[in-house]
Amino acid sequence: MSSDRVIIFDTTLRDGEQSPGCSMNTAEKLEVAGALVDLGVDVIEAGFPIASPGDFEAVQAIARQFGDRGPKICGLARCRDEDIDRAGHALQDAKYRRIHVFLATSSIHRQYKLQMEKPEIIAKAIESVTRAKGFCDDVEFSPEDAVRTELDFLAEVVEKAITAGATTVNIPDTVGYATPAHYFQVISYLKKNVPNIDQAIISSHCHNDLGLAVANSLSAVEAGARQVECTINGLGERAGNAALEEIVMALRTRHDYYKLSTGINTRKLCGISRLVSSITGMTVQRNKAIVGQNAFAHEAGIHQHGMLKERTTYEIMRPEDVGFTGSNLVLGKHSGRHAFRDRIAQLGHQLDEKTFEKVFDDFIALCDKKKNVYDADIQALVENRQTETPDRWQLVSFHTSAGTSAIPTATIELVENGQAPVRDAAIGDGPIDAVFNALERVIGISARLQNYQVRSLTMGKEAQGEVLVEIEHNNNVFHGRATSTDIIEASALAYLKALNKAAANRNPHKPIHAQHA
Ligand code: KIV
Ligand code: ZN
């Protein structure tokens, strides 16, 4: 790879997934992995195979399905034989694969976590890189908490890991302690003091505890790092990891300064941001850079005046370059199939004929409910059909009654795997609570609602409502998302989605998290 290309290493499925309440099941991980392939990332860190049978299964499934598509599929391992072997086995069906081994090096971790002396750390790092090389040529080594490690010792570990065969050396800011100038110095020191540094790619891995993860990553790139580890929406434990979309767009928008490129298809950024948000239930703040709802809203009068005359007066990126759908008015009922197909293509989707027909039917049904259909509505229709995995329980119909002087009541009709409909009714504190109770009665699951959010997808009273729910059942967290012009229907569908996941629970909780190991 040329030296003006930055390798994008996505760790949404590993470090991102460690965020509390964000765990995904294998089907969801496969869906995100597919979107990461389309996005054009170079490496997908698919998980930590030793952590649990579920993690192993997910890494293996991703390796089998996407291992010959382009991105390297990577599995994480501690510097332990059993971890490395487990990662090697999970990845063995991938044509392009990488094992990522890590071992803490800072004095605080050596003393309190590992109780290991410096020479033992070096020996273990060499032994583990060598073992990982037995499974694949591409091995990454991370001295965990590198930023708080004595520089001379860090340089020694990095040199030895490269000699043992590490092709990438990652310099993690595990606890989000670095500042841009400090991180620049660490990378520059390694470039200067590790004799074989040119034989490996230097990588950055920044956490956002001080809100500096993206700035630090860019600083590492300026100092010579050519791989950046990041996550969609900056997902990750505590304050998260560096946000992929922000790094990619900073490099692209300021190409005049960095003179570096990535392989990312930036038009897919908003789509994958929505996908990850709906699967994990982690909503994106409105004013989040690049993918937030307000990222391209120019409200102040002076801005609008400038924008009307010349877009670039206040706009440094074009919304369409990041796949931002905003509130463009699109089509009406009479626009026809042809115009609808064109619009879908312009929004960056390629649908097979069967999916297209379903989305078109949904579009016609939506036109009956609302006069103006916007890009964001079309986007939601496509996503609903693309993320559709056959659920065990399907909603046939519901009815609610509520009011100031009535007891809120709901009746529900569901079908299970296409069998005869099942009906039940329940009361609640309000119509939505009654619907949730009725759904639970039919399915026979009692869950705890941990989070419920409703927001409008576009503007106006007739806008579709998007509902996100998070439920807890048997110590596992499940998410559901749905859209409708009727927020009670959207709530019912979102809750049903989460209950379906709980019913099919294939994601037992994890015994080990990388940094808690
Ligand atoms: O933050 C960290 O140090 C990590 C390592 C496992 C690379 O995530
Ligand atoms: Zn991390």
Short mmCIF file of all heavy atoms in Angstrom, two decimals, residues 1-9 42 98 168-169 187 191 200-204 217-229 251 258-262:
data_model
loop_
_atom_site.label_atom_id
_atom_site.label_comp_id
_atom_site.label_asym_id
_atom_site.label_seq_id
_atom_site.Cartn_x
_atom_site.Cartn_y
_atom_site.Cartn_z
N MET A 1 0.85 -1.21 0.00
CA MET A 1 0.00 0.00 0.00
C MET A 1 0.88 1.26 0.00
O MET A 1 1.90 1.29 0.70
CB MET A 1 -0.89 -0.03 1.23
CG MET A 1 -2.17 0.73 1.02
SD MET A 1 -3.43 0.36 2.23
CE MET A 1 -4.10 -1.20 1.72
N SER A 2 0.51 2.27 -0.77
CA SER A 2 1.40 3.43 -0.87
C SER A 2 1.39 4.22 0.43
O SER A 2 0.46 4.15 1.22
CB SER A 2 0.96 4.32 -2.03
OG SER A 2 -0.18 5.03 -1.66
N SER A 3 2.46 5.01 0.63
CA SER A 3 2.61 5.69 1.92
C SER A 3 1.65 6.87 2.06
O SER A 3 1.57 7.47 3.13
CB SER A 3 4.05 6.15 2.08
OG SER A 3 4.32 7.04 1.03
N ASP A 4 0.94 7.22 0.97
CA ASP A 4 -0.04 8.30 1.15
C ASP A 4 -1.45 7.75 1.35
O ASP A 4 -2.43 8.47 1.22
CB ASP A 4 0.03 9.33 0.01
CG ASP A 4 -0.21 8.69 -1.34
OD1 ASP A 4 -0.54 7.48 -1.37
OD2 ASP A 4 -0.08 9.40 -2.36
N ARG A 5 -1.54 6.48 1.67
CA ARG A 5 -2.85 5.85 1.91
C ARG A 5 -2.93 5.49 3.40
O ARG A 5 -2.01 4.87 3.93
CB ARG A 5 -2.94 4.61 1.03
CG ARG A 5 -4.11 3.73 1.29
CD ARG A 5 -5.34 4.24 0.52
NE ARG A 5 -6.08 3.14 -0.05
CZ ARG A 5 -6.78 2.25 0.66
NH1 ARG A 5 -6.83 2.36 1.96
NH2 ARG A 5 -7.42 1.28 0.06
N VAL A 6 -4.00 5.89 4.07
CA VAL A 6 -4.18 5.54 5.48
C VAL A 6 -5.10 4.33 5.57
O VAL A 6 -6.20 4.32 4.98
CB VAL A 6 -4.77 6.73 6.27
CG1 VAL A 6 -5.06 6.33 7.72
CG2 VAL A 6 -3.82 7.91 6.24
N ILE A 7 -4.64 3.30 6.27
CA ILE A 7 -5.42 2.07 6.44
C ILE A 7 -6.48 2.31 7.50
O ILE A 7 -6.18 2.76 8.61
CB ILE A 7 -4.48 0.91 6.88
CG1 ILE A 7 -3.46 0.63 5.77
CG2 ILE A 7 -5.27 -0.34 7.25
CD1 ILE A 7 -2.33 -0.27 6.21
N ILE A 8 -7.73 2.04 7.13
CA ILE A 8 -8.82 2.21 8.09
C ILE A 8 -9.16 0.84 8.71
O ILE A 8 -9.61 -0.06 8.02
CB ILE A 8 -10.06 2.87 7.44
CG1 ILE A 8 -9.70 4.27 6.91
CG2 ILE A 8 -11.22 2.94 8.44
CD1 ILE A 8 -9.30 5.30 7.96
N PHE A 9 -8.88 0.74 10.00
CA PHE A 9 -9.08 -0.48 10.78
C PHE A 9 -10.32 -0.23 11.63
O PHE A 9 -10.30 0.60 12.54
CB PHE A 9 -7.83 -0.70 11.64
CG PHE A 9 -7.84 -1.86 12.61
CD1 PHE A 9 -6.96 -2.91 12.46
CD2 PHE A 9 -8.69 -1.87 13.71
CE1 PHE A 9 -6.92 -3.97 13.36
CE2 PHE A 9 -8.66 -2.92 14.62
CZ PHE A 9 -7.79 -3.96 14.45
N ASP A 42 -10.40 -1.25 5.45
CA ASP A 42 -9.30 -2.17 5.09
C ASP A 42 -9.22 -3.37 6.02
O ASP A 42 -8.81 -4.44 5.62
CB ASP A 42 -7.97 -1.41 5.13
CG ASP A 42 -7.99 -0.23 4.17
OD1 ASP A 42 -7.95 -0.47 2.96
OD2 ASP A 42 -8.09 0.92 4.63
N ARG A 98 -6.05 -11.53 9.90
CA ARG A 98 -5.02 -10.95 10.77
C ARG A 98 -5.30 -11.36 12.21
O ARG A 98 -6.46 -11.38 12.64
CB ARG A 98 -5.06 -9.42 10.65
CG ARG A 98 -4.21 -8.71 11.69
CD ARG A 98 -4.28 -7.20 11.59
NE ARG A 98 -3.75 -6.68 10.34
CZ ARG A 98 -3.60 -5.38 10.08
NH1 ARG A 98 -3.95 -4.48 10.98
NH2 ARG A 98 -3.13 -4.98 8.92
N THR A 168 2.17 -4.96 11.85
CA THR A 168 1.60 -3.67 12.29
C THR A 168 1.89 -3.54 13.78
O THR A 168 1.72 -4.50 14.53
CB THR A 168 0.06 -3.65 12.08
OG1 THR A 168 -0.21 -3.84 10.70
CG2 THR A 168 -0.55 -2.33 12.53
N VAL A 169 2.34 -2.35 14.19
CA VAL A 169 2.49 -2.10 15.63
C VAL A 169 1.52 -0.97 16.00
O VAL A 169 1.59 0.14 15.46
CB VAL A 169 3.94 -1.76 16.04
CG1 VAL A 169 4.78 -3.02 16.11
CG2 VAL A 169 4.58 -0.74 15.13
N ILE A 187 4.71 8.90 18.87
CA ILE A 187 4.89 8.25 17.56
C ILE A 187 6.23 8.68 16.95
O ILE A 187 6.99 7.86 16.40
CB ILE A 187 3.72 8.60 16.59
CG1 ILE A 187 2.36 8.27 17.23
CG2 ILE A 187 3.89 7.92 15.23
CD1 ILE A 187 2.01 6.82 17.39
N LYS A 191 9.42 6.37 15.77
CA LYS A 191 9.98 6.43 14.40
C LYS A 191 11.49 6.64 14.44
O LYS A 191 12.24 6.12 13.63
CB LYS A 191 9.31 7.58 13.62
CG LYS A 191 7.93 7.19 13.11
CD LYS A 191 7.53 7.98 11.89
CE LYS A 191 8.27 7.49 10.68
NZ LYS A 191 7.60 7.55 9.44
N ALA A 200 7.31 -2.20 9.64
CA ALA A 200 5.92 -2.39 10.10
C ALA A 200 5.13 -1.09 9.89
O ALA A 200 5.72 -0.01 9.77
CB ALA A 200 5.91 -2.77 11.57
N ILE A 201 3.82 -1.25 9.86
CA ILE A 201 2.94 -0.07 9.80
C ILE A 201 2.70 0.38 11.24
O ILE A 201 2.42 -0.45 12.11
CB ILE A 201 1.57 -0.46 9.17
CG1 ILE A 201 1.75 -1.01 7.75
CG2 ILE A 201 0.58 0.68 9.23
CD1 ILE A 201 1.89 0.01 6.68
N ILE A 202 2.79 1.68 11.48
CA ILE A 202 2.45 2.20 12.82
C ILE A 202 0.96 2.52 12.82
O ILE A 202 0.43 3.11 11.86
CB ILE A 202 3.25 3.48 13.15
CG1 ILE A 202 4.76 3.22 13.03
CG2 ILE A 202 2.89 3.99 14.54
CD1 ILE A 202 5.61 4.45 13.28
N SER A 203 0.30 2.13 13.91
CA SER A 203 -1.15 2.32 13.98
C SER A 203 -1.52 3.15 15.21
O SER A 203 -0.87 3.05 16.25
CB SER A 203 -1.80 0.93 14.07
OG SER A 203 -3.13 1.04 14.46
N SER A 204 -2.60 3.93 15.09
CA SER A 204 -3.10 4.66 16.27
C SER A 204 -4.38 4.00 16.77
O SER A 204 -5.13 3.41 15.98
CB SER A 204 -3.36 6.12 15.93
OG SER A 204 -4.54 6.22 15.17
N SER A 217 -5.74 10.87 16.89
CA SER A 217 -5.51 9.97 15.75
C SER A 217 -4.92 10.75 14.57
O SER A 217 -3.99 10.28 13.91
CB SER A 217 -6.83 9.32 15.29
OG SER A 217 -7.47 8.71 16.38
N LEU A 218 -5.45 11.95 14.33
CA LEU A 218 -4.93 12.75 13.21
C LEU A 218 -3.49 13.19 13.49
O LEU A 218 -2.66 13.27 12.57
CB LEU A 218 -5.84 13.96 12.98
CG LEU A 218 -7.23 13.63 12.43
CD1 LEU A 218 -8.13 14.86 12.46
CD2 LEU A 218 -7.14 13.08 10.99
N SER A 219 -3.21 13.42 14.74
CA SER A 219 -1.86 13.81 15.12
C SER A 219 -0.88 12.65 14.87
O SER A 219 0.24 12.86 14.40
CB SER A 219 -1.93 14.17 16.60
OG SER A 219 -0.84 14.86 16.98
N ALA A 220 -1.35 11.43 15.18
CA ALA A 220 -0.50 10.25 14.93
C ALA A 220 -0.23 10.12 13.43
O ALA A 220 0.89 9.80 13.01
CB ALA A 220 -1.21 9.00 15.44
N VAL A 221 -1.25 10.38 12.63
CA VAL A 221 -1.09 10.29 11.18
C VAL A 221 -0.04 11.32 10.72
O VAL A 221 0.83 11.02 9.90
CB VAL A 221 -2.45 10.51 10.49
CG1 VAL A 221 -2.28 10.74 9.00
CG2 VAL A 221 -3.37 9.31 10.75
N GLU A 222 -0.12 12.51 11.30
CA GLU A 222 0.87 13.54 10.93
C GLU A 222 2.28 13.11 11.29
O GLU A 222 3.25 13.44 10.62
CB GLU A 222 0.56 14.84 11.67
CG GLU A 222 -0.40 15.72 10.92
CD GLU A 222 -0.32 17.14 11.42
OE1 GLU A 222 0.56 17.88 10.95
OE2 GLU A 222 -1.13 17.50 12.29
N ALA A 223 2.39 12.33 12.38
CA ALA A 223 3.72 11.88 12.83
C ALA A 223 4.20 10.66 12.06
O ALA A 223 5.32 10.22 12.23
CB ALA A 223 3.68 11.58 14.32
N GLY A 224 3.32 10.10 11.22
CA GLY A 224 3.78 8.97 10.39
C GLY A 224 2.98 7.69 10.54
O GLY A 224 3.28 6.70 9.87
N ALA A 225 1.96 7.65 11.42
CA ALA A 225 1.13 6.44 11.51
C ALA A 225 0.36 6.30 10.20
O ALA A 225 -0.08 7.29 9.61
CB ALA A 225 0.15 6.56 12.68
N ARG A 226 0.22 5.07 9.72
CA ARG A 226 -0.52 4.87 8.47
C ARG A 226 -1.68 3.90 8.65
O ARG A 226 -2.25 3.42 7.68
CB ARG A 226 0.43 4.38 7.36
CG ARG A 226 1.27 5.52 6.79
CD ARG A 226 0.41 6.60 6.11
NE ARG A 226 1.19 7.76 5.71
CZ ARG A 226 1.39 8.85 6.46
NH1 ARG A 226 0.85 8.93 7.68
NH2 ARG A 226 2.11 9.85 6.02
N GLN A 227 -2.02 3.60 9.89
CA GLN A 227 -3.27 2.88 10.17
C GLN A 227 -3.96 3.60 11.32
O GLN A 227 -3.31 4.02 12.28
CB GLN A 227 -3.01 1.42 10.57
CG GLN A 227 -4.29 0.71 11.02
CD GLN A 227 -4.10 -0.76 11.34
OE1 GLN A 227 -3.92 -1.57 10.44
NE2 GLN A 227 -4.16 -1.09 12.63
N VAL A 228 -5.28 3.75 11.19
CA VAL A 228 -6.06 4.35 12.27
C VAL A 228 -7.13 3.36 12.69
O VAL A 228 -7.86 2.84 11.86
CB VAL A 228 -6.73 5.68 11.81
CG1 VAL A 228 -7.63 6.21 12.91
CG2 VAL A 228 -5.69 6.71 11.45
N GLU A 229 -7.19 3.09 14.00
CA GLU A 229 -8.23 2.20 14.51
C GLU A 229 -9.39 3.06 15.02
O GLU A 229 -9.17 4.02 15.78
CB GLU A 229 -7.66 1.32 15.63
CG GLU A 229 -6.47 0.52 15.09
CD GLU A 229 -6.09 -0.71 15.91
OE1 GLU A 229 -6.63 -0.89 17.01
OE2 GLU A 229 -5.24 -1.46 15.43
N LEU A 251 -9.58 13.74 6.82
CA LEU A 251 -8.50 13.49 5.85
C LEU A 251 -8.94 13.92 4.45
O LEU A 251 -8.15 14.46 3.67
CB LEU A 251 -8.12 12.01 5.85
CG LEU A 251 -7.41 11.51 7.13
CD1 LEU A 251 -7.18 10.01 7.07
CD2 LEU A 251 -6.08 12.24 7.32
N TYR A 258 -3.21 17.30 4.63
CA TYR A 258 -2.64 15.97 4.94
C TYR A 258 -2.05 15.26 3.71
O TYR A 258 -1.15 14.45 3.83
CB TYR A 258 -3.72 15.07 5.56
CG TYR A 258 -4.14 15.50 6.95
CD1 TYR A 258 -5.35 16.14 7.16
CD2 TYR A 258 -3.31 15.28 8.03
CE1 TYR A 258 -5.74 16.54 8.43
CE2 TYR A 258 -3.68 15.68 9.31
CZ TYR A 258 -4.90 16.32 9.50
OH TYR A 258 -5.27 16.71 10.75
N LYS A 259 -2.64 15.53 2.54
CA LYS A 259 -2.23 14.88 1.29
C LYS A 259 -2.26 13.35 1.43
O LYS A 259 -1.34 12.64 1.01
CB LYS A 259 -0.84 15.36 0.84
CG LYS A 259 -0.77 16.87 0.70
CD LYS A 259 0.24 17.33 -0.30
CE LYS A 259 0.15 18.79 -0.68
NZ LYS A 259 -0.57 19.72 0.16
N LEU A 260 -3.31 12.87 2.08
CA LEU A 260 -3.45 11.43 2.31
C LEU A 260 -4.86 11.01 1.91
O LEU A 260 -5.78 11.82 1.93
CB LEU A 260 -3.25 11.12 3.81
CG LEU A 260 -1.85 11.39 4.36
CD1 LEU A 260 -1.86 11.33 5.88
CD2 LEU A 260 -0.85 10.38 3.80
N SER A 261 -5.00 9.72 1.57
CA SER A 261 -6.34 9.28 1.20
C SER A 261 -6.69 7.99 1.95
O SER A 261 -5.83 7.37 2.59
CB SER A 261 -6.39 9.03 -0.31
OG SER A 261 -5.47 8.01 -0.62
N THR A 262 -7.97 7.61 1.85
CA THR A 262 -8.43 6.33 2.42
C THR A 262 -9.21 5.62 1.31
O THR A 262 -9.51 6.22 0.28
CB THR A 262 -9.37 6.55 3.62
OG1 THR A 262 -10.60 7.08 3.13
CG2 THR A 262 -8.78 7.46 4.67
#
